[in-house]
Amino acid sequence: MKAVQQGGGTTLFLVRHGETEDNVRQIMQGQSQGRLTLHGVEQAETLARQLADEPIDAFLSSDLRRAVDTAAILAAPHHLPVETTPLLRERDWGDFTGRFIPDLKDEPWPDNVESMADMMQRAASFLEYVRTHYPRQRVVAVGHGIFNKALQAVYHQKPIHEIPRMGNAELRVLELP
């Protein structure tokens, strides 16, 4: 991977965790721990090789197992610890958690699903956390599909539906002022 030019702010390497067993089974994971598949481990190892020569100052991860395991693989070549934070957790899907996703199409939303406003506020809080705790640094952050879209929506000041879906172990780079 070609090095990203560092400007005056923080470079955030935003990553979605590797493929999980529940991704394959189309189960709504939400804030459940999740377990990487062998393919998910391979995806993370491939990205780790791509990032191996990048100067990285810190690795952050959601505190959910699927993200922590991905982040540990990415951090290994850099010999850096992984800091976990609940700010990076996936959206809380409440009673939808653990359900087969195709069955949810016409279901009424439970009251205990994290609101879009709350998730977007959490995304803004995470970006502010990175700006203030890692100024002018290069940070890898491993999160989740929907929440990573929320982070990018806040960053780009766009509606979340305009942000393209991230694949498993996909990387996007954000330059924070």
Side-chain angles (χ1 to χ4, degrees), residues 111-147:
D111 292 337
N112 60 355
V113 171
E114 181 179 17
S115 73
M116 182 64 70
D118 286 349
M119 184 176 63
M120 298 302 274
Q121 180 55 54
R122 188 161 51 92
S125 295
F126 175 75
L127 292 173
E128 184 59 26
Y129 174 81
V130 172
R131 276 188 202 100
T132 58
H133 287 81
Y134 299 94
R136 302 178 58 94
Q137 295 186 46
R138 296 164 61 84
V139 178
V140 172
V142 181
H144 305 271
I146 300 296
F147 190 70

mmCIF file of all heavy atoms in Angstrom, residues 111-147:
data_model
loop_
_atom_site.group_PDB
_atom_site.id
_atom_site.type_symbol
_atom_site.label_atom_id
_atom_site.label_comp_id
_atom_site.label_asym_id
_atom_site.label_seq_id
_atom_site.Cartn_x
_atom_site.Cartn_y
_atom_site.Cartn_z
ATOM 1 N N ASP A 111 -38.763 -1.102 19.806
ATOM 2 C CA ASP A 111 -38.444 0.157 20.475
ATOM 3 C C ASP A 111 -37.002 0.197 20.981
ATOM 4 O O ASP A 111 -36.471 1.281 21.255
ATOM 5 C CB ASP A 111 -39.385 0.400 21.657
ATOM 6 C CG ASP A 111 -40.814 0.675 21.212
ATOM 7 O OD1 ASP A 111 -41.008 1.108 20.053
ATOM 8 O OD2 ASP A 111 -41.743 0.455 22.015
ATOM 9 N N ASN A 112 -36.374 -0.977 21.129
ATOM 10 C CA ASN A 112 -35.042 -1.001 21.723
ATOM 11 C C ASN A 112 -33.907 -0.998 20.693
ATOM 12 O O ASN A 112 -32.758 -1.273 21.036
ATOM 13 C CB ASN A 112 -34.895 -2.174 22.694
ATOM 14 C CG ASN A 112 -35.097 -3.522 22.031
ATOM 15 O OD1 ASN A 112 -35.436 -3.625 20.849
ATOM 16 N ND2 ASN A 112 -34.888 -4.576 22.805
ATOM 17 N N VAL A 113 -34.188 -0.657 19.432
ATOM 18 C CA VAL A 113 -33.144 -0.453 18.430
ATOM 19 C C VAL A 113 -32.540 0.933 18.668
ATOM 20 O O VAL A 113 -33.269 1.909 18.861
ATOM 21 C CB VAL A 113 -33.715 -0.559 16.995
ATOM 22 C CG1 VAL A 113 -32.679 -0.130 15.957
ATOM 23 C CG2 VAL A 113 -34.196 -1.979 16.704
ATOM 24 N N GLU A 114 -31.205 1.020 18.654
ATOM 25 C CA GLU A 114 -30.529 2.312 18.812
ATOM 26 C C GLU A 114 -31.013 3.268 17.725
ATOM 27 O O GLU A 114 -31.027 2.924 16.539
ATOM 28 C CB GLU A 114 -29.016 2.108 18.711
ATOM 29 C CG GLU A 114 -28.202 3.360 18.890
ATOM 30 C CD GLU A 114 -26.700 3.111 18.818
ATOM 31 O OE1 GLU A 114 -26.263 2.044 18.324
ATOM 32 O OE2 GLU A 114 -25.959 4.005 19.265
ATOM 33 N N SER A 115 -31.399 4.450 18.108
ATOM 34 C CA SER A 115 -31.912 5.416 17.137
ATOM 35 C C SER A 115 -30.787 5.885 16.214
ATOM 36 O O SER A 115 -29.605 5.876 16.585
ATOM 37 C CB SER A 115 -32.534 6.616 17.841
ATOM 38 O OG SER A 115 -31.524 7.446 18.403
ATOM 39 N N MET A 116 -31.186 6.314 15.035
ATOM 40 C CA MET A 116 -30.208 6.865 14.084
ATOM 41 C C MET A 116 -29.524 8.080 14.690
ATOM 42 O O MET A 116 -28.302 8.239 14.579
ATOM 43 C CB MET A 116 -30.901 7.224 12.770
ATOM 44 C CG MET A 116 -29.958 7.753 11.705
ATOM 45 S SD MET A 116 -28.722 6.563 11.150
ATOM 46 C CE MET A 116 -29.770 5.424 10.259
ATOM 47 N N ALA A 117 -30.280 8.937 15.361
ATOM 48 C CA ALA A 117 -29.703 10.139 15.974
ATOM 49 C C ALA A 117 -28.656 9.772 17.026
ATOM 50 O O ALA A 117 -27.584 10.386 17.075
ATOM 51 C CB ALA A 117 -30.799 10.997 16.596
ATOM 52 N N ASP A 118 -28.956 8.776 17.858
ATOM 53 C CA ASP A 118 -28.000 8.355 18.879
ATOM 54 C C ASP A 118 -26.741 7.760 18.249
ATOM 55 O O ASP A 118 -25.620 8.010 18.701
ATOM 56 C CB ASP A 118 -28.627 7.345 19.838
ATOM 57 C CG ASP A 118 -29.611 7.985 20.804
ATOM 58 O OD1 ASP A 118 -29.671 9.229 20.888
ATOM 59 O OD2 ASP A 118 -30.346 7.224 21.478
ATOM 60 N N MET A 119 -26.919 6.954 17.198
ATOM 61 C CA MET A 119 -25.762 6.354 16.538
ATOM 62 C C MET A 119 -24.905 7.440 15.875
ATOM 63 O O MET A 119 -23.675 7.399 15.965
ATOM 64 C CB MET A 119 -26.198 5.315 15.508
ATOM 65 C CG MET A 119 -25.006 4.614 14.870
ATOM 66 S SD MET A 119 -25.437 3.298 13.720
ATOM 67 C CE MET A 119 -26.323 4.200 12.454
ATOM 68 N N MET A 120 -25.531 8.410 15.237
ATOM 69 C CA MET A 120 -24.779 9.477 14.587
ATOM 70 C C MET A 120 -24.042 10.330 15.627
ATOM 71 O O MET A 120 -22.915 10.767 15.385
ATOM 72 C CB MET A 120 -25.707 10.337 13.731
ATOM 73 C CG MET A 120 -26.368 9.579 12.591
ATOM 74 S SD MET A 120 -25.223 8.793 11.445
ATOM 75 C CE MET A 120 -24.926 10.158 10.346
ATOM 76 N N GLN A 121 -24.645 10.532 16.785
ATOM 77 C CA GLN A 121 -23.968 11.273 17.852
ATOM 78 C C GLN A 121 -22.765 10.490 18.365
ATOM 79 O O GLN A 121 -21.711 11.065 18.629
ATOM 80 C CB GLN A 121 -24.935 11.584 19.004
ATOM 81 C CG GLN A 121 -24.287 12.343 20.141
ATOM 82 C CD GLN A 121 -23.620 13.638 19.702
ATOM 83 O OE1 GLN A 121 -24.240 14.475 19.068
ATOM 84 N NE2 GLN A 121 -22.343 13.805 20.019
ATOM 85 N N ARG A 122 -22.917 9.183 18.477
ATOM 86 C CA ARG A 122 -21.796 8.331 18.909
ATOM 87 C C ARG A 122 -20.669 8.392 17.872
ATOM 88 O O ARG A 122 -19.487 8.441 18.230
ATOM 89 C CB ARG A 122 -22.302 6.899 19.123
ATOM 90 C CG ARG A 122 -21.297 5.970 19.734
ATOM 91 C CD ARG A 122 -21.944 4.734 20.347
ATOM 92 N NE ARG A 122 -22.854 4.028 19.494
ATOM 93 C CZ ARG A 122 -22.517 2.999 18.684
ATOM 94 N NH1 ARG A 122 -21.270 2.596 18.628
ATOM 95 N NH2 ARG A 122 -23.440 2.395 17.953
ATOM 96 N N ALA A 123 -21.029 8.410 16.594
ATOM 97 C CA ALA A 123 -20.023 8.523 15.527
ATOM 98 C C ALA A 123 -19.275 9.851 15.643
ATOM 99 O O ALA A 123 -18.037 9.894 15.550
ATOM 100 C CB ALA A 123 -20.692 8.385 14.163
ATOM 101 N N ALA A 124 -19.999 10.933 15.852
ATOM 102 C CA ALA A 124 -19.368 12.243 16.017
ATOM 103 C C ALA A 124 -18.458 12.246 17.242
ATOM 104 O O ALA A 124 -17.354 12.810 17.201
ATOM 105 C CB ALA A 124 -20.434 13.335 16.133
ATOM 106 N N SER A 125 -18.894 11.603 18.313
ATOM 107 C CA SER A 125 -18.078 11.522 19.534
ATOM 108 C C SER A 125 -16.790 10.745 19.279
ATOM 109 O O SER A 125 -15.726 11.120 19.778
ATOM 110 C CB SER A 125 -18.861 10.864 20.668
ATOM 111 O OG SER A 125 -19.952 11.661 21.049
ATOM 112 N N PHE A 126 -16.880 9.669 18.501
ATOM 113 C CA PHE A 126 -15.672 8.894 18.191
ATOM 114 C C PHE A 126 -14.694 9.740 17.374
ATOM 115 O O PHE A 126 -13.492 9.757 17.658
ATOM 116 C CB PHE A 126 -15.992 7.592 17.453
ATOM 117 C CG PHE A 126 -14.734 6.875 17.040
ATOM 118 C CD1 PHE A 126 -13.977 6.194 17.977
ATOM 119 C CD2 PHE A 126 -14.284 6.935 15.736
ATOM 120 C CE1 PHE A 126 -12.789 5.571 17.616
ATOM 121 C CE2 PHE A 126 -13.102 6.303 15.359
ATOM 122 C CZ PHE A 126 -12.360 5.623 16.303
ATOM 123 N N LEU A 127 -15.183 10.421 16.352
ATOM 124 C CA LEU A 127 -14.291 11.243 15.536
ATOM 125 C C LEU A 127 -13.628 12.333 16.371
ATOM 126 O O LEU A 127 -12.431 12.610 16.219
ATOM 127 C CB LEU A 127 -15.047 11.851 14.350
ATOM 128 C CG LEU A 127 -15.504 10.846 13.291
ATOM 129 C CD1 LEU A 127 -16.381 11.525 12.248
ATOM 130 C CD2 LEU A 127 -14.321 10.145 12.631
ATOM 131 N N GLU A 128 -14.375 12.935 17.291
ATOM 132 C CA GLU A 128 -13.802 13.945 18.174
ATOM 133 C C GLU A 128 -12.768 13.317 19.122
ATOM 134 O O GLU A 128 -11.723 13.916 19.391
ATOM 135 C CB GLU A 128 -14.901 14.655 18.975
ATOM 136 C CG GLU A 128 -14.401 15.779 19.841
ATOM 137 C CD GLU A 128 -13.688 16.887 19.062
ATOM 138 O OE1 GLU A 128 -13.962 17.080 17.855
ATOM 139 O OE2 GLU A 128 -12.830 17.556 19.678
ATOM 140 N N TYR A 129 -13.051 12.119 19.601
ATOM 141 C CA TYR A 129 -12.096 11.400 20.451
ATOM 142 C C TYR A 129 -10.773 11.190 19.709
ATOM 143 O O TYR A 129 -9.689 11.438 20.257
ATOM 144 C CB TYR A 129 -12.701 10.052 20.869
ATOM 145 C CG TYR A 129 -11.744 9.169 21.623
ATOM 146 C CD1 TYR A 129 -11.522 9.352 22.983
ATOM 147 C CD2 TYR A 129 -11.044 8.151 20.975
ATOM 148 C CE1 TYR A 129 -10.622 8.555 23.684
ATOM 149 C CE2 TYR A 129 -10.148 7.351 21.666
ATOM 150 C CZ TYR A 129 -9.947 7.552 23.014
ATOM 151 O OH TYR A 129 -9.056 6.767 23.690
ATOM 152 N N VAL A 130 -10.848 10.738 18.468
ATOM 153 C CA VAL A 130 -9.630 10.503 17.686
ATOM 154 C C VAL A 130 -8.884 11.817 17.454
ATOM 155 O O VAL A 130 -7.666 11.879 17.621
ATOM 156 C CB VAL A 130 -9.952 9.792 16.350
ATOM 157 C CG1 VAL A 130 -8.719 9.725 15.449
ATOM 158 C CG2 VAL A 130 -10.500 8.397 16.605
ATOM 159 N N ARG A 131 -9.607 12.870 17.096
ATOM 160 C CA ARG A 131 -8.974 14.180 16.865
ATOM 161 C C ARG A 131 -8.219 14.675 18.103
ATOM 162 O O ARG A 131 -7.118 15.209 17.990
ATOM 163 C CB ARG A 131 -10.027 15.234 16.506
ATOM 164 C CG ARG A 131 -10.430 15.274 15.079
ATOM 165 C CD ARG A 131 -11.331 16.506 14.824
ATOM 166 N NE ARG A 131 -12.117 16.279 13.646
ATOM 167 C CZ ARG A 131 -13.390 15.878 13.635
ATOM 168 N NH1 ARG A 131 -14.047 15.697 14.751
ATOM 169 N NH2 ARG A 131 -14.023 15.691 12.503
ATOM 170 N N THR A 132 -8.841 14.536 19.262
ATOM 171 C CA THR A 132 -8.247 15.105 20.478
ATOM 172 C C THR A 132 -7.191 14.207 21.116
ATOM 173 O O THR A 132 -6.238 14.710 21.705
ATOM 174 C CB THR A 132 -9.327 15.440 21.524
ATOM 175 O OG1 THR A 132 -10.064 14.266 21.839
ATOM 176 C CG2 THR A 132 -10.272 16.507 21.009
ATOM 177 N N HIS A 133 -7.346 12.877 21.013
ATOM 178 C CA HIS A 133 -6.394 11.969 21.650
ATOM 179 C C HIS A 133 -5.243 11.551 20.741
ATOM 180 O O HIS A 133 -4.218 11.064 21.234
ATOM 181 C CB HIS A 133 -7.118 10.728 22.166
ATOM 182 C CG HIS A 133 -7.940 10.990 23.383
ATOM 183 N ND1 HIS A 133 -9.195 11.547 23.325
ATOM 184 C CD2 HIS A 133 -7.666 10.798 24.695
ATOM 185 C CE1 HIS A 133 -9.667 11.677 24.553
ATOM 186 N NE2 HIS A 133 -8.768 11.248 25.401
ATOM 187 N N TYR A 134 -5.395 11.737 19.437
ATOM 188 C CA TYR A 134 -4.363 11.306 18.485
ATOM 189 C C TYR A 134 -4.077 12.407 17.458
ATOM 190 O O TYR A 134 -4.094 12.167 16.261
ATOM 191 C CB TYR A 134 -4.808 10.014 17.770
ATOM 192 C CG TYR A 134 -5.024 8.877 18.727
ATOM 193 C CD1 TYR A 134 -6.288 8.611 19.238
ATOM 194 C CD2 TYR A 134 -3.962 8.095 19.162
ATOM 195 C CE1 TYR A 134 -6.488 7.582 20.138
ATOM 196 C CE2 TYR A 134 -4.154 7.063 20.072
ATOM 197 C CZ TYR A 134 -5.425 6.820 20.559
ATOM 198 O OH TYR A 134 -5.620 5.803 21.457
ATOM 199 N N PRO A 135 -3.787 13.636 17.924
ATOM 200 C CA PRO A 135 -3.547 14.716 16.965
ATOM 201 C C PRO A 135 -2.313 14.424 16.107
ATOM 202 O O PRO A 135 -1.294 13.956 16.615
ATOM 203 C CB PRO A 135 -3.338 15.943 17.853
ATOM 204 C CG PRO A 135 -2.900 15.395 19.173
ATOM 205 C CD PRO A 135 -3.575 14.051 19.303
ATOM 206 N N ARG A 136 -2.469 14.673 14.802
ATOM 207 C CA ARG A 136 -1.367 14.528 13.845
ATOM 208 C C ARG A 136 -0.773 13.113 13.833
ATOM 209 O O ARG A 136 0.411 12.948 13.549
ATOM 210 C CB ARG A 136 -0.297 15.579 14.087
ATOM 211 C CG ARG A 136 -0.828 17.002 13.989
ATOM 212 C CD ARG A 136 0.243 18.037 14.273
ATOM 213 N NE ARG A 136 1.358 17.892 13.352
ATOM 214 C CZ ARG A 136 1.496 18.559 12.212
ATOM 215 N NH1 ARG A 136 0.587 19.435 11.855
ATOM 216 N NH2 ARG A 136 2.542 18.381 11.443
ATOM 217 N N GLN A 137 -1.603 12.130 14.165
ATOM 218 C CA GLN A 137 -1.129 10.742 14.150
ATOM 219 C C GLN A 137 -1.862 9.943 13.082
ATOM 220 O O GLN A 137 -2.812 10.414 12.475
ATOM 221 C CB GLN A 137 -1.323 10.108 15.536
ATOM 222 C CG GLN A 137 -0.458 10.760 16.599
ATOM 223 C CD GLN A 137 -0.547 10.051 17.922
ATOM 224 O OE1 GLN A 137 -0.467 8.838 18.001
ATOM 225 N NE2 GLN A 137 -0.734 10.826 18.979
ATOM 226 N N ARG A 138 -1.389 8.734 12.873
ATOM 227 C CA ARG A 138 -1.967 7.814 11.894
ATOM 228 C C ARG A 138 -2.576 6.649 12.676
ATOM 229 O O ARG A 138 -1.849 5.893 13.323
ATOM 230 C CB ARG A 138 -0.889 7.367 10.920
ATOM 231 C CG ARG A 138 -0.348 8.562 10.106
ATOM 232 C CD ARG A 138 0.968 8.261 9.420
ATOM 233 N NE ARG A 138 0.868 7.174 8.479
ATOM 234 C CZ ARG A 138 0.460 7.278 7.207
ATOM 235 N NH1 ARG A 138 0.094 8.461 6.739
ATOM 236 N NH2 ARG A 138 0.420 6.235 6.412
ATOM 237 N N VAL A 139 -3.889 6.542 12.607
ATOM 238 C CA VAL A 139 -4.636 5.643 13.477
ATOM 239 C C VAL A 139 -5.471 4.674 12.647
ATOM 240 O O VAL A 139 -6.217 5.090 11.765
ATOM 241 C CB VAL A 139 -5.564 6.454 14.413
ATOM 242 C CG1 VAL A 139 -6.389 5.534 15.305
ATOM 243 C CG2 VAL A 139 -4.751 7.452 15.242
ATOM 244 N N VAL A 140 -5.357 3.386 12.956
ATOM 245 C CA VAL A 140 -6.232 2.366 12.374
ATOM 246 C C VAL A 140 -7.378 2.152 13.359
ATOM 247 O O VAL A 140 -7.141 1.955 14.555
ATOM 248 C CB VAL A 140 -5.489 1.033 12.127
ATOM 249 C CG1 VAL A 140 -6.457 -0.067 11.705
ATOM 250 C CG2 VAL A 140 -4.396 1.220 11.083
ATOM 251 N N ALA A 141 -8.620 2.200 12.865
ATOM 252 C CA ALA A 141 -9.798 1.963 13.698
ATOM 253 C C ALA A 141 -10.635 0.869 13.051
ATOM 254 O O ALA A 141 -11.061 1.010 11.904
ATOM 255 C CB ALA A 141 -10.617 3.235 13.853
ATOM 256 N N VAL A 142 -10.869 -0.207 13.803
ATOM 257 C CA VAL A 142 -11.650 -1.330 13.286
ATOM 258 C C VAL A 142 -13.041 -1.289 13.898
ATOM 259 O O VAL A 142 -13.209 -1.368 15.110
ATOM 260 C CB VAL A 142 -10.967 -2.682 13.585
ATOM 261 C CG1 VAL A 142 -11.801 -3.830 13.012
ATOM 262 C CG2 VAL A 142 -9.552 -2.715 13.017
ATOM 263 N N GLY A 143 -14.021 -1.151 13.014
ATOM 264 C CA GLY A 143 -15.409 -1.088 13.438
ATOM 265 C C GLY A 143 -16.282 -2.046 12.660
ATOM 266 O O GLY A 143 -15.837 -3.132 12.277
ATOM 267 N N HIS A 144 -17.501 -1.601 12.382
ATOM 268 C CA HIS A 144 -18.541 -2.479 11.837
ATOM 269 C C HIS A 144 -19.239 -1.815 10.655
ATOM 270 O O HIS A 144 -19.159 -0.593 10.481
ATOM 271 C CB HIS A 144 -19.543 -2.803 12.942
ATOM 272 C CG HIS A 144 -18.890 -3.375 14.153
ATOM 273 N ND1 HIS A 144 -18.672 -4.719 14.307
ATOM 274 C CD2 HIS A 144 -18.365 -2.778 15.253
ATOM 275 C CE1 HIS A 144 -18.060 -4.935 15.459
ATOM 276 N NE2 HIS A 144 -17.862 -3.769 16.048
ATOM 277 N N GLY A 145 -19.971 -2.597 9.903
ATOM 278 C CA GLY A 145 -20.580 -2.136 8.670
ATOM 279 C C GLY A 145 -21.443 -0.899 8.798
ATOM 280 O O GLY A 145 -21.180 0.130 8.167
ATOM 281 N N ILE A 146 -22.495 -0.968 9.589
ATOM 282 C CA ILE A 146 -23.419 0.163 9.709
ATOM 283 C C ILE A 146 -22.760 1.321 10.451
ATOM 284 O O ILE A 146 -22.872 2.478 10.051
ATOM 285 C CB ILE A 146 -24.734 -0.249 10.426
ATOM 286 C CG1 ILE A 146 -25.450 -1.353 9.646
ATOM 287 C CG2 ILE A 146 -25.649 0.956 10.628
ATOM 288 C CD1 ILE A 146 -25.922 -0.957 8.278
ATOM 289 N N PHE A 147 -22.043 1.015 11.527
ATOM 290 C CA PHE A 147 -21.436 2.102 12.286
ATOM 291 C C PHE A 147 -20.355 2.812 11.481
ATOM 292 O O PHE A 147 -20.223 4.038 11.550
ATOM 293 C CB PHE A 147 -20.892 1.629 13.639
ATOM 294 C CG PHE A 147 -20.491 2.794 14.494
ATOM 295 C CD1 PHE A 147 -21.458 3.634 15.031
ATOM 296 C CD2 PHE A 147 -19.167 3.104 14.706
ATOM 297 C CE1 PHE A 147 -21.107 4.758 15.784
ATOM 298 C CE2 PHE A 147 -18.809 4.222 15.461
ATOM 299 C CZ PHE A 147 -19.776 5.046 15.995
#
